[in-house]
Amino acid sequence: MEENFSTSITVPLHAAAALEKICQVPAWWGVTIEGPTEKLDDQFVIRMGQEAYFNCAITELIPGKRVVWSVGDCFMPWYEDKTEWSGTLMIFDLDESGSETEISFTHEGITPESECYKDCQPGWTHWIRNSLFSYLTTGKGDFKQR
């Protein structure tokens, strides 16, 4: 079995502040969000363009340590498997050391065998390593995906 997609960054912030900013999703990820994204059991919809959506819930939240977004129903019109993200988990683990925090992101259920991996791997790499990093360090996300 192949590994889930994961990547990490280290930022000069305490974990609690970093987690608070991660939950401000539109500031760093080029999507529209409907609903709250800050507390355990919050339910929200991620929208990409006119048709694509991902119904999510915060299913685990450990302040300053971890937040998990569980994807329920979804629709990705550009793939043969339009619901490939259903049942996947977007996991942010935070490890504070001194005045820095390492943020490890894993999209559990998205592996090299996944249809979307060819797009998700460079996409998530950009949104975490470039945009989230930029937002956490400068206050402005990087919406120009390379």
Side-chain angles (χ1 to χ4, degrees), residues 116-138:
C116 75
Y117 196 83
K118 69 184 184 317
D119 298 320
C120 291
Q121 188 273 337
W124 274 130
T125 298
H126 167 77
W127 293 117
I128 301 299
R129 289 189 189 170
N130 296 340
S131 192
L132 180 60
F133 180 83
S134 178
Y135 178 59
L136 294 174
T137 57
T138 72

Side-chain angles (χ1 to χ4, degrees), residues 71-124:
V71 182
D73 187 34
C74 71
F75 181 70
M76 300 181 295
W78 47 84
Y79 295 119
E80 187 173 321
D81 182 354
K82 298 177 182 346
T83 61
E84 188 169 50
W85 279 27
S86 290
T88 66
L89 302 173
M90 292 176 265
I91 304 165
F92 297 84
D93 285 309
L94 294 87
D95 184 21
E96 184 175 310
S97 179
S99 60
E100 291 188 331
T101 299
E102 180 181 19
I103 301 166
S104 298
F105 171 80
T106 301
H107 195 153
E108 186 174 296
I110 300 301
T111 67
E113 288 81 26
S114 302
E115 180 184 0
C116 75
Y117 196 83
K118 69 184 184 317
D119 298 320
C120 291
Q121 188 273 337
W124 274 130

Side-chain angles (χ1 to χ4, degrees), residues 9-49:
I9 55 175
T10 300
V11 294
L13 286 173
H14 291 288
L19 185 57
E20 184 178 312
K21 288 180 176 255
I22 288 167
C23 291
Q24 297 168 8
V25 184
W28 61 268
W29 188 10
V31 296
T32 302
I33 300 286
E34 298 168 6
T37 59
E38 298 169 0
K39 297 186 303 284
L40 185 64
D41 299 324
D42 276 354
Q43 296 187 17
F44 55 99
V45 179
I46 299 168
R47 296 204 180 272
M48 292 181 183

